[in-house]
């Protein structure tokens, strides 16, 4: 059902041009001094990350709000130390699942303005992290950062405490090197990124005029596609998260006593879920399976070993005819449906002869960049309605759209993308891949929609092939080079002149 | 696929005959005195149950073995008080899941022999109970028996601590009434019934000659089919419990980063599980869907309101064309497949974009009494093999038979069934239903197979329509009348003369 459209553009040129245009990296260039300063302060920066990881900033757990408060205070102090004028904006109260009001974590807004004549970048970051429990398979305490070999282990080291501190390290490097910061910076740092960025949109909207001078929005998050070649992210798919609920009666029953006396809920649910994809996992929902044109060039350039990926994970046979570009295209820009789990049935190892009465299938559909969420949900409702009619089950079936993350795409043909390309080229000595992200990033889409500014995402962490949500890690090298790269980005961004001709004829992924 | 065969026999006659033959229930009959004695000691008996429920005898939880030890000691003391010579037979050690050896709970063996000329009944019981956690929805502490209205609430009050104590109460009544016990009794009381009766078979086999004089095996467990009419259970279906595992790689992945790059495990599993039954939940496995002939008479007599059942549970529409006899026949004697849950996927309420790498579908097939477990597993393997071949998934699929409970059927045309019928008729003033049990009872099948003795199951608890595994309860009336009924059973059993003609021409369910 899905078709791939390739358009051939030549992004290689971009990187080449970026490198050849660089004139600031001579032996005494400011960039070299900045890079050296970062290396000198290496231990301080690692220690900062150790301190920040120690705060259990799990936004999805209500009882961690005190940790969150301390982490925000910690960061405000650190920002003040590098001359950022920052404060925590209170967002009021939030209701817990038990209907208890608890305060929302503050959103940090900070400014570091040197001169109105310099361009102003908005740096977005988040302090909160995903849940982490030792019992899930962590080899170390997730909230005590531990250096093992060349890696730092701990929750948030790669997403997104490490990248956030890289910005602070980069600014510190300018101070240490005695180089004036070439850009103005506005910080927006939230702590509810793992709760759907609750409140972020309001903060932006209420201060819309405050952000009017911002030239672009930059964030350091996610990972490269490759283990060795840096990548810069120019867009991500949208996503709709669904609950599909089937209920057969008003309480759990025993298959001993009640097996055969009613239509059970789980078989209905499994049947419905089975009708959403074909064996190749193509989405079977009519009218929603069209693909976004994928830039053949970016896919081709992407440094990603599909075979190694498969071997590493012991995947019995790779789909997509083992073609890297098909797999990447599918992950970057085509609709995809994943089933994540089932609520309400027995998930424990014990034996229970239960007939679950209400079960919820949890799945998400990643959207091609040109798919409208409302169209997909409408088509899904229709599809499920038809299947349910055929099934003729008397049970209650309900589809619930839990949340939507719209897709976003950056304007690659812009100073910020050129600056990012140059900064990465100079830091890593290799031209970066232009990549899309298979995941759905909420913050870029909010910034793009509310502030109408171009967004560029600069990951600093290499792809940990087969890396799992537990034992999160980042290499010391990635952390240090990431700080250098952000320092370089600010430098390069100031060098770019939006009025100059460098954007013309540039071969970048289509916007 | 499934067909029902009805054979018409007239079980009504049995009960009538039982009542008319009774000559021992005059104003001064011993039975009347026994019944009165039970009523007089009512508060003592309730207190005993309160004490026993207080021991957390959860056999599936290793850390509860001390509670188990104390409960066994408590029962040994109680048995000694009614002149039963009892001891706890040590079964050696057992390995926990963490490979720690822990002692198995002792099996209590007790004898109460008055005279070799009297018949000897073997009374089976179990001390262990199902897991109970307040958080699962208990309104009271499950291990503190609580009297609310006419009910006693607590784990084990109905299964099977209450019924076990009824035997002790019944014997106590004989002592209190100054009536000599009319039968010899051998007790076998295990505490691993919820762990597949581990060790029970060994104990029986090692003492096979000890049990040679036993005439029949009697146990009080399960519930009636009806809320008002007592039932005696003359058989139950077999059961096979399966794990169906699908694995797609060696660790959980993120649908963000990996969606589209491999064949996921959950869609495969749901597809396989969907192919096992049709929308009416008929088992689709070839050659296994034949039904056991069901006694039309027992089904017809069974006091069970299907409509009330449906209304109580808010079932949107009842299957089996709302016919009670079809539903009961299906539950009693036809194969049935229930899916209980999924291991390895996200079952929590939180949002995780996980692609589970190894998922296990847990389901059981209840067997018609004439189905051989090995035939069913073989057919299931073949069926899944064909479906899997069509699916052409590269993932690993594995079917694992976790355990088997064979079906069993009592010989209804026997003194023990007549005595049971009489005892129930006299206690409850209504002829009992002859019922099969939809559940699979392991102990009767072990006793029948190892000792080659006839088994009769005498439930004392009314069917709590829609009763759930939490908030287990028994009415005080059921508990007290149950004690009376077991006293009556012993009396009636002694009256029956296996050599007499009462068994001829009796219209009972076919053996």
């Amino acid at each position: 059902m899905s078709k791939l459209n390739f358009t051939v553009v030549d992004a290689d040129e971009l990187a080449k041009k970026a490198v050849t245009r660089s004139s600031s990296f001579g032996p005494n260039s400011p960039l070299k001094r900045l890079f050296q300063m970062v290396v000198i302060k290496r231990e301080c920066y690692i220690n900062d990350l150790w301190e920040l990881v120690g705060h259990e900033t799990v936004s999805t757990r209500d009882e961690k709000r005190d940790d969150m408060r301390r982490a925000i205070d910690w960061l405000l102090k650190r920002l003040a130390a590098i001359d950022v004028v920052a404060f925590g904006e209170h967002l009021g109260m939030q209701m817990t699942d038990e209907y208890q009001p608890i305060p929302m974590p503050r959103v940090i807004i900070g400014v570091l303005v040197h001169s109105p004549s310099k361009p102003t970048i908005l740096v977005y970051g988040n302090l909160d992290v995903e849940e982490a429990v030792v019992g899930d398979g962590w080899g170390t305490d997730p909230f005590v950062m531990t250096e093992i070999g060349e890696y730092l282990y701990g929750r948030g080291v790669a997403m997104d405490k490490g990248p956030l501190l890289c910005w602070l390290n980069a600014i510190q490097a300018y101070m240490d090197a005695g180089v004036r910061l070439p850009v103005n910076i506005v910080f927006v740092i939230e702590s509810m990124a793992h709760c759907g960025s609750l409140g972020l949109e309001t903060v932006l909207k209420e201060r819309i005029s405050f952000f009017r001078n911002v030239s672009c929005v930059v964030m350091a998050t996610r990972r490269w596609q490759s283990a060795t070649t840096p990548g810069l992210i120019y867009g991500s798919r949208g996503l709709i998260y669904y609950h599909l609920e089937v209920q057969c009666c008003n309480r759990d029953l025993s298959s001993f006593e009640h097996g055969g006396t009613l239509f059970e809920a789980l078989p209905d649910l499994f049947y419905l879920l089975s009708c959403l994809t074909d064996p190749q996992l193509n989405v079977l929902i009519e009218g929603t399976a069209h693909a976004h044109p994928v830039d053949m060039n970016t896919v081709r350039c992407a440094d990603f070993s599909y075979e190694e990926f498969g071997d590493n994970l012991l995947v019995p046979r790779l789909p997509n005819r083992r073609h890297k570009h098909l797999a990447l295209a599918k992950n970057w820009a085509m609709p995809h449906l994943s089933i994540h789990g089932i609520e309400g049935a027995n998930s424990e190892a014990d034996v229970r002869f239960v007939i679950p009465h209400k079960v919820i299938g949890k799945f998400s559909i990643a959207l091609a960049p040109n798919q409208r969420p409302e169209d997909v949900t409408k088509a899904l409702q229709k599809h499920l309605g038809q299947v349910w009619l055929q099934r003729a089950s008397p049970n209650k079936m309900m589809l619930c759209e839990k949340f939507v993350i719209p897709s976003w795409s950056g304007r690659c043909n812009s100073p910020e993308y050129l600056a990012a390309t140059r900064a990465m080229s100079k830091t890593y000595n290799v031209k970066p891949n232009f990549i899309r992200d298979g995941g759905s990033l909420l913050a870029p889409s909010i910034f793009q929609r509310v502030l109408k500014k171009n967004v560029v995402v600069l990951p600093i962490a290499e792809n940990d092939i087969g890396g799992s949500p537990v034992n999160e890690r980042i290499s010391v090298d990635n952390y240090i080079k990431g700080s250098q790269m952000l320092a370089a980005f600010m430098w390069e961004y100031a060098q770019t002149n939006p009025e100059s001709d460098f954007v013309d004829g540039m071969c970048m992924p289509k916007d």
Side-chain angles (χ1 to χ4, degrees), chain A:
Chain A
M1 311 257 316
S2 305
K3 269 198 330 195
L4 279 176
N5 303 317
F6 291 109
T7 54
V8 179
V9 290
D10 192 356
D12 283 16
E13 284 301 314
L14 170 73
K16 263 192 224 153
K17 205 161 182 175
V19 175
T20 53
R21 284 175 68 98
S22 152
S23 58
S24 56
F25 212 4
N28 298 314
S29 78
L31 268 194
K32 188 159 186 185
R33 271 160 58 208
L34 291 170
F35 282 17
Q36 282 167 344
M37 279 303 153
V38 171
V39 173
I40 287 167
K41 295 288 275 290
R42 177 192 144 111
E43 290 310 312
C44 291
Y45 296 160
I46 292 176
N47 188 64
D48 277 356
L49 186 51
W50 176 82
E51 283 188 25
L52 187 53
V53 167
H55 296 286
E56 298 191 29
T57 55
V58 181
S59 49
T60 48
R61 287 181 56 187
D62 303 333
E63 71 274 22
K64 296 294 178 195
R65 286 296 155 89
D66 275 349
D67 287 77
M68 198 75 94
R69 189 177 44 71
R70 281 188 290 267
I72 291 170
D73 289 341
W74 183 93
L75 189 63
L76 284 170
K77 237 166 77 183
R78 275 290 181 287
L79 287 168
I82 51 170
D83 296 341
V84 177
V85 181
F87 65 98
E89 170 78 347
H90 289 274
L91 296 182
M93 305 302 272
Q94 173 198 10
M95 278 293 188
T96 67
D97 290 343
E98 290 82 34
Y99 299 103
Q100 291 299 314
I102 53 168
M104 303 239 302
R106 290 159 286 168
V107 170
I108 293 177
I109 296 187
V111 284
L112 186 55
V113 173
H114 284 104
S115 153
S117 69
K118 289 177 182 172
T120 300
I121 63 173
L122 188 156
V123 170
Y124 164 83
N126 64 287
L127 264 181
D128 60 324
V129 293
E130 220 181 308
E131 175 69 292
V133 182
V134 177
D136 285 349
W138 282 81
T140 59
D141 184 331
F143 296 105
V144 178
M145 192 180 84
T146 311
E147 192 168 350
I148 301 173
E150 55 191 313
Y151 286 96
L152 307 171
Y153 287 83
R155 176 57 89 214
V157 291
M159 295 203 233
D160 289 304
K161 286 176 172 175
L164 175 59
L165 288 190
C166 284
W167 285 108
L168 277 67
N169 303 344
I171 296 168
Q172 180 73 52
Y174 277 92
M175 291 174 73
D176 294 341
V179 178
R180 279 181 70 88
L181 207 64
V183 292
N184 302 316
I185 304 180
V186 172
F187 280 98
V188 175
I189 299 164
E190 66 160 331
S191 295
M192 290 290 271
H194 294 269
C195 293
S197 289
L198 197 62
L200 178 62
E201 195 166 331
T202 313
V203 167
L204 296 181
K205 280 184 174 158
E206 282 175 356
R207 278 187 175 56
I208 198 92
S209 65
F210 178 80
F211 298 110
R212 69 181 180 281
N213 290 328
V214 165
S215 313
C216 68
V217 177
V218 198
M219 52 189 81
T221 182
R222 309 291 299 159
R223 290 176 177 275
W224 309 338
Q225 189 79 49
S226 154
T228 49
T229 311
L232 64 87
I233 297 173
Y234 69 95
S236 69
R237 292 187 293 190
L239 180 131
I240 317 177
Y241 194 89
Y242 295 102
H243 276 190
L244 178 59
E245 182 181 308
V246 177
Q247 179 167 4
C248 65
C249 62
N250 66 353
R251 69 199 88 163
D252 281 2
L253 302 176
S254 149
S255 67
F256 274 20
E257 287 167 35
H258 310 108
T261 56
L262 80 170
F263 296 107
E264 301 175 16
L266 264 186
D268 278 352
L269 178 63
F270 291 168
Y271 179 78
L272 290 174
L273 291 174
S274 290
C275 292
L276 299 179
T277 51
D278 70 9
Q280 283 72 46
L281 300 192
N282 294 309
V283 183
L284 290 179
I285 307 162
E286 209 178 334
T288 72
H290 43 229
H292 186 65
V294 178
D295 287 303
M296 182 59 179
N297 191 54
T298 54
V299 171
R300 183 173 57 75
C301 290
D303 175 10
F304 167 69
S305 170
Y306 197 25
E307 303 271 335
E308 192 184 325
F309 165 83
D311 291 348
N312 202 302
L313 292 174
L314 301 181
V315 176
R317 191 180 80 225
L318 292 169
N320 311 307
R321 285 171 281 148
R322 299 170 76 198
H323 287 171
K324 172 192 95 172
H325 65 277
L326 288 177
L328 283 186
K330 190 150 189 181
N331 181 252
W332 287 5
M334 284 169 64
H336 179 76
L337 189 151
S338 280
I339 306 173
H340 308 298
I342 301 290
E343 249 179 271
N346 177 17
S347 62
E348 304 296 321
D350 61 345
V351 172
R352 285 188 229 170
F353 296 101
V354 66
I355 298 176
H357 78 288
K358 184 162 87 173
V359 285
I360 299 172
K362 307 193 294 184
F363 65 97
S364 63
I365 299 183
L367 306 177
N370 55 350
Q371 281 184 307
R372 293 199 317 166
E374 53 273 31
D375 293 343
V376 173
T377 294
K378 218 164 146 185
L380 176 62
Q381 280 167 336
K382 192 178 156 200
H383 180 80
L384 282 173
Q386 287 167 346
V387 172
W388 192 241
L389 207 67
Q390 285 164 19
R391 176 92 176 163
S393 165
N395 294 330
K396 284 182 227 158
M397 184 267 281
M398 195 171 68
L399 178 72
C400 183
E401 185 188 277
K402 297 304 276 187
F403 59 85
V404 173
I405 300 177
S407 66
W408 71 279
S409 294
R411 269 184 294 109
C412 298
N413 210 350
S414 60
E416 41 276 15
Y417 277 82
L418 180 69
T421 310
R422 285 178 178 169
M424 285 194 163
S425 300
K426 289 180 182 175
T427 310
Y428 304 106
N429 291 316
V430 57
K431 59 189 166 60
N433 295 152
F434 269 67
I435 58 180
R436 293 188 67 90
D437 194 294
S440 299
L441 311 186
L442 180 56
S445 73
I446 292 178
F447 280 101
Q448 201 165 61
R449 184 162 41 82
V450 177
L451 300 189
K452 315 257 186 286
K453 307 287 181 186
N454 196 21
V455 181
V456 58
V457 176
L458 304 175
I460 65 161
E462 68 199 25
N463 190 0
D464 223 2
I465 283 188
S468 71
V470 298
N471 294 315
E472 181 178 339
R473 66 179 187 176
I474 192 172
S475 71
V476 174
D477 190 56
N478 276 174
Y479 179 54
I480 295 305
K481 282 226 169 73
S483 306
Q484 292 175 334
M485 187 269 287
L486 297 181
F489 171 78
M490 292 187 269
W491 185 261
E492 295 296 335
Y493 189 64
Q495 308 304 310
T496 59
N497 177 354
E499 268 62 57
S500 82
D501 69 340
F502 83 94
V503 292
D504 295 328
M506 195 66 69
C507 295
M508 277 173 291
K510 285 172 141 192
D511 290 356

